[in-house]
Amino acid sequence: MIEEIITIERHILEQQRTHPQATGVFSSLLYDIALAAKIIARETSRAGLVEILGLAGKINVQGEAQMKLDIFANQTLIRINSYTGRLAVMASEEEADILPIPEGYPTGRYVLLFDPLDGSSNIDVNASIGTIFGVYRRLSQDGPGKLSDCLQPGRDMVAAGYVIYGSSTMMVYSTGNGVHGFTLDPGVGEFLLSHPNIQIPSRPKYYSVNQGNEQFWSEGVLHFTRWLQGIDEEDPRKPLSARYIGSLVADFHRNLLTGGIFYYPADSKDPRKPYGKLRLLYEAAPLAFIAQHAGGYASDGRQAILDIVPESLHQRTPLFIGNRDLVEKAEAFIARYDG
Ligand code: AHM
Ligand code: MG
């Protein structure tokens, strides 16, 4: 039971005070993201009503409504963050190119990358979805931010987080000083500290992977999965339970709180996507930052996600994320069987 009520605003300000040289710009940026999250949460909670409204002829069929929520989330983040003077440039999973700050508005020191609404195929079935974000310092000196400002390795991130729109809405963030979770009180419209200093439990419970893709996996990934299931004869272990929602934020959040591993490995399903499905900049790197600061680890199977220097905005990467010992075991199986 937490005795005090700590709003996200107060928490961000208290974090700021630990950096005497801080100007407050970074704190305001985090607060802007929390505001966008509240607006997106309001709409996602009404998603089931869209069909009814659609029947009334106001909004189109369900499939289109789903698209609309993606676009709404994207536009909300862009609108809130374009005019504040805090950012040099943004990039979104929903946009092909970088998002410059509109002409006539000041640019700032930071770079914001986000996946506005991940796992949106889950909207139809009322399962959790999420927003993921990462913040970097700009590299270019001044003027409009550039593509190169967005292509930085995760190690250089200054903050990352996600919002999960589930049975309640939560925002989890880190500025490198612990991982902290806030639950939205919809009555007062405030995120309140509910999960201070999240650390991934050392005894994992779950493994999360789309096992329907098994026939397309490498030997290393197959062996690793058998090991997690406790059926590796050379190295038997207590089997983990399987849990898979198919919504990265929800799968990651559960495993962060309970211990476990999520993976989306490279597979041979679609030759155009040899590195799996997930995006380095908008999905893998921000969650890797959170995992790292909660005592966990994320890898592409061969190297730390945070060490990868991105080459393009929408680059995909295999992802293994969760308890460090499990992720390192995946790396060991891949090195042994996949060369
Ligand atoms: P999206 O960015 O198109 O929403 O796709 C990403 C989602 C993740 O949330 C999730 O981990 C993954 O796709 C699930 O993929 P699959 O259905 O192949 O298991
Ligand atoms: Mg996504």
Side-chain angles (χ1 to χ4, degrees):
M1 173 80 174
I2 299 163
E3 311 239 310
E4 278 177 286
I5 294 181
I6 300 179
T7 63
I8 201 164
E9 186 177 22
R10 176 175 157 196
H11 194 269
I12 290 168
L13 285 171
E14 280 174 7
Q15 296 264 316
Q16 182 192 320
R17 273 186 222 117
T18 65
H19 301 273
Q21 75 288 6
T23 56
V25 170
F26 178 58
S27 298
S28 304
L29 169 59
L30 289 175
Y31 198 61
D32 292 339
I33 296 169
L35 173 62
K38 285 192 249 182
I39 295 171
I40 297 167
R42 186 190 62 200
E43 287 307 302
T44 55
S45 66
R46 296 175 68 242
L49 297 170
V50 164
E51 199 182 353
I52 299 167
L53 298 175
L55 290 177
K58 288 190 185 137
I59 298 174
N60 222 318
V61 288
Q62 208 175 355
E64 211 168 302
Q66 212 185 87
M67 281 298 296
K68 282 202 167 85
L69 213 45
D70 282 2
I71 293 166
F72 176 83
N74 189 41
Q75 287 183 352
T76 301
L77 279 154
I78 295 170
R79 285 191 187 143
I80 286 187
N81 289 293
S82 288
Y83 310 103
T84 59
R86 304 193 235 282
L87 295 176
V89 63
M90 288 182 268
S92 161
E93 199 198 272
E94 290 284 332
E95 305 278 345
D97 297 315
I98 57 167
L99 292 157
I101 297 306
E103 228 166 279
Y105 288 88
T107 53
R109 287 169 51 200
Y110 294 100
V111 176
L112 176 64
L113 305 185
F114 55 85
D115 182 350
L117 208 58
D118 184 66
S120 47
S121 64
N122 282 293
I123 296 169
D124 264 2
V125 294
N126 224 336
S128 300
I129 43 182
T131 298
I132 309 170
F133 65 91
V135 180
Y136 295 82
R137 279 194 196 89
R138 73 180 300 172
L139 298 174
S140 53
Q141 290 305 310
D142 45 32
K146 303 186 174 77
L147 175 62
S148 53
D149 291 313
C150 298
L151 299 181
Q152 301 190 48
R155 288 253 175 255
D156 295 339
M157 225 177 294
V158 290
Y162 61 85
V163 184
I164 177 167
Y165 311 99
S167 47
S168 54
T169 299
M170 271 190 77
M171 179 158 159
V172 175
Y173 86 99
S174 177
T175 55
N177 182 18
V179 174
H180 312 284
F182 301 78
T183 302
L184 181 64
D185 180 335
V188 293
E190 279 288 2
F191 279 108
L192 305 177
L193 182 63
S194 52
H195 296 67
N197 281 314
I198 299 173
Q199 282 287 307
I200 189 161
S202 56
R203 270 214 219 141
K205 275 176 99 162
Y206 301 123
Y207 77 98
S208 308
V209 67
N210 184 345
Q211 214 138 358
N213 289 334
E214 205 177 273
Q215 60 174 306
F216 305 109
W217 289 347
S218 68
E219 278 300 299
V221 173
L222 281 169
H223 276 90
F224 172 59
T225 307
R226 305 255 145 79
W227 178 77
L228 292 170
Q229 294 168 330
I231 50 177
D232 180 338
E233 283 171 11
E234 258 179 48
D235 183 12
R237 58 158 291 133
K238 189 169 167 273
L240 294 178
S241 273
R243 288 282 189 284
Y244 190 72
I245 297 169
S247 180
L248 177 60
V249 170
D251 281 310
F252 174 77
H253 181 70
R254 182 198 52 246
N255 292 358
L256 180 69
L257 297 184
T258 59
I261 182 167
F262 168 94
Y263 51 114
Y264 207 113
D267 61 42
S268 58
K269 192 175 178 180
D270 180 347
R272 287 166 307 168
K273 296 180 191 165
Y275 303 111
K277 181 176 183 189
L278 300 175
R279 314 276 181 168
L280 174 62
L281 284 173
Y282 315 108
E283 295 167 333
L287 296 185
F289 185 89
I290 294 288
Q292 181 87 13
H293 290 285
Y297 175 53
S299 168
D300 70 355
R302 297 180 189 279
Q303 61 176 326
I305 291 286
L306 294 178
D307 285 337
I308 302 174
V309 181
E311 286 170 8
S312 64
L313 271 184
H314 294 282
Q315 170 172 345
R316 295 178 200 267
T317 177
L319 174 66
F320 298 79
I321 188 165
N323 284 72
R324 176 170 281 276
D325 53 337
L326 299 182
V327 176
E328 285 177 349
K329 195 75 180 176
E331 290 180 328
F333 274 108
I334 286 168
R336 176 170 167 193
Y337 290 99
D338 301 342

